[in-house]
């Protein structure tokens, strides 16, 4: 029973991280007029919503409530993004750098989750599969940020 509660806690944290991603990319979407970025952010929002659906399905199988909240760190990240944009940091490179910061946080959370030895195999597989998708998103954001840096230099 203790392992189930610990597993539920890990899964709830990952739901919150994905909720942070949705809110963060919604904010980023509002900060740009670039259609390619809007499409990319929409794709990342859809991925996080899918992750949340999978994670919440598992929580419901345990009899847990569906998680809808975000993390405190995610709220700080979105506030930082607002401040950065208000001081003129809303250009394409700045938006991508801020998104990469959020992706780094998501990777750290998923890595920490996978370090837990009590996770059942099906949960570990789900989390691992989601981490792979999030890693690809991180790498895409970093690539675009690096491209912007090279183009300005």
């Amino acid at each position: 029973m203790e392992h189930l509660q610990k597993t539920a806690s890990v899964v709830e944290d990952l739901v919150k991280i994905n909720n942070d991603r949705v809110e963060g990319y919604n904010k980023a979407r509002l900060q740009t007029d670039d259609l390619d970025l809007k499409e990319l952010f929409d794709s990342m929002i859809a991925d996080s919503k899918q992750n949340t659906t999978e994670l919440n399905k598992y929580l419901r199988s345990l009899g847990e409530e569906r998680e809808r909240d975000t993390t405190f760190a995610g709220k700080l990240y979105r506030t930082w993004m607002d401040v950065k944009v208000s001081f003129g940091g809303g250009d394409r490179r700045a938006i991508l750098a801020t998104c990469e910061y959020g992706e780094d946080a998501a990777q750290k959370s998923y890595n920490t989750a996978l370090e837990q030895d009590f996770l059942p195999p099906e949960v570990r597989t789900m989390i691992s599969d989601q981490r792979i998708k999030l890693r690809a998103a991180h790498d895409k954001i970093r690539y675009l940020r690096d491209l912007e840096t090279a183009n300005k230099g």
Side-chain angles (χ1 to χ4, degrees):
M1 187 62 143
E2 181 182 337
H3 287 314
L4 287 178
Q5 289 175 333
K6 287 181 179 179
T7 299
S9 179
V10 167
V11 171
E12 287 170 354
D13 286 345
L14 295 179
V15 170
K16 290 176 183 179
I17 290 298
N18 279 283
N19 289 343
D20 287 341
R21 281 185 89 234
V22 169
E23 288 192 30
Y25 281 116
N26 277 325
K27 278 196 175 282
R29 200 178 184 295
L30 295 173
Q31 303 301 326
T32 185
D33 294 324
D34 297 343
L35 292 179
D36 66 321
L37 288 185
K38 285 182 182 282
E39 289 175 8
L40 176 64
F41 298 158
D42 285 344
S43 171
M44 293 181 176
I45 289 167
D47 286 345
S48 277
K49 286 181 176 180
Q50 177 61 39
N51 290 346
T52 299
T53 298
E54 291 173 8
L55 295 164
N56 274 320
K57 182 178 177 184
Y58 178 76
L59 287 175
R60 283 191 302 276
S61 77
L62 296 178
E64 298 286 328
E65 285 291 317
R66 193 177 144 192
E67 185 58 65
R68 293 183 178 91
D69 202 6
T70 58
T71 64
F72 180 70
K75 290 174 183 156
L76 289 176
Y77 158 71
R78 290 185 302 280
T79 300
W80 181 72
M81 183 178 226
D82 287 343
V83 169
K84 188 171 188 174
V85 169
S86 71
F87 286 107
D91 68 11
R92 185 176 172 98
R93 187 194 173 289
I95 291 168
L96 289 165
T98 303
C99 291
E100 185 182 14
Y101 173 83
E103 290 300 325
D104 288 342
Q107 282 296 305
K108 183 177 178 183
S109 295
Y110 270 78
N111 289 339
T112 299
L114 287 169
E115 290 171 2
Q116 308 311 309
D117 60 357
F118 53 80
L119 294 176
E122 69 276 9
V123 174
R124 183 172 299 284
T125 298
M126 175 180 55
I127 292 171
S128 181
D129 291 347
Q130 288 183 5
R131 181 181 65 171
I132 289 167
K133 288 190 301 186
L134 292 176
R135 184 68 198 183
H138 172 275
D139 292 349
K140 175 79 172 177
I141 291 288
R142 184 178 52 200
Y143 169 78
L144 291 172
R145 192 226 42 217
D146 289 349
L147 195 60
E148 285 302 311
T149 301
N151 288 338
K152 291 198 183 212

